[in-house]
Amino acid sequence: MVLPPDHVMAAVEDGQRLKGWIANGYAQVEYLFGEIIARSNDMPEYEAIKDRLPHRPEKRISKIRQILEIEGFFSQYQEEIEWLIEAFEHHQQTRHLLLHGFCTAYHTPAGDFGLQFRKWHRDGDQDTEIRKVFRLVDLEYEKAQFTHAAQRALDLVRNVHEKLGLVG
């Protein structure tokens, strides 16, 4: 059985749609990390660690951990912030593959379909290629996992904004 070209294209489009949802979820959480840092820069209790917003997510997380070490406004949200950091870090390799990886669609005559993502990764003194195939069900799972985290991030931003009187 050979898959008709329109079925292959539909599967590719579904995979790319799911990838978009996943990427958007990561972006929501990354934005929250930036929001915490930017807001803390305006608060007197965090004056000693006030600094520019770090660009890389790993550095943002490090900065947020510094913020959480200080008893201040964000202490009331510490548990939720730590949950979001853990979720983000747990999915870091998937994030890198989906956002920065080269994508190839594969399908079999039997109808199996997947998107393979490949990315070169600096690993100590070596450069290694990471490869992973995601079937549509795998991308659905990743979407569910990270849109849940994104929703929690959005809820946290809303709560912070309400507490700061930024919501009118």
Side-chain angles (χ1 to χ4, degrees):
M1 171 183 145
V2 176
L3 283 177
D6 58 327
H7 288 200
V8 174
M9 285 309 302
V12 169
E13 288 175 8
D14 281 347
Q16 292 301 324
R17 178 186 52 80
L18 291 166
K19 177 186 170 202
W21 274 104
I22 296 163
N24 187 62
Y26 287 113
Q28 302 288 21
V29 176
E30 281 190 63
Y31 177 82
L32 168 70
F33 294 160
E35 179 75 5
I36 291 169
I37 294 165
R39 296 290 172 199
S40 74
N41 281 339
D42 295 332
M43 298 177 178
E45 63 265 41
Y46 303 109
E47 183 68 31
I49 61 167
K50 183 177 179 176
D51 202 359
R52 294 217 40 215
L53 183 68
H55 176 69
R56 296 180 49 87
E58 298 83 3
K59 291 188 179 200
R60 285 188 184 191
I61 289 170
S62 178
K63 184 68 174 178
I64 290 169
R65 286 188 168 127
Q66 283 183 314
I67 291 166
L68 293 177
E69 289 174 3
I70 296 171
E71 185 62 38
F73 176 81
F74 288 104
S75 297
Q76 63 191 309
Y77 304 107
Q78 183 162 351
E79 187 175 308
E80 187 67 1
I81 293 168
E82 287 175 350
W83 185 92
L84 287 165
I85 289 171
E86 184 177 315
F88 190 87
E89 289 178 332
H90 178 74
H91 294 277
Q92 191 73 317
Q93 183 174 4
T94 299
R95 181 182 83 84
H96 282 296
L97 274 172
L98 295 181
L99 297 181
H100 306 293
F102 180 82
C103 181
T104 305
Y106 288 102
H107 61 91
T108 67
D112 194 14
F113 175 85
L115 295 175
Q116 180 188 64
F117 291 87
R118 298 182 306 173
K119 178 185 160 310
W120 285 104
H121 176 72
R122 184 182 235 161
D123 188 12
D125 292 339
Q126 297 184 41
D127 296 326
T128 58
E129 185 180 31
I130 299 170
R131 293 177 182 224
K132 184 168 182 180
V133 173
F134 292 87
R135 289 180 170 83
L136 293 179
V137 69
D138 300 325
L139 290 170
E140 286 281 1
Y141 174 80
E142 292 293 332
K143 175 190 172 232
Q145 294 295 302
F146 225 79
T147 53
H148 172 72
Q151 185 60 56
R152 286 179 71 163
L154 290 172
D155 291 344
L156 182 57
V157 167
R158 186 188 68 246
N159 291 339
V160 166
H161 284 196
E162 286 174 354
K163 191 80 160 188
L164 292 173
L166 299 173
V167 178

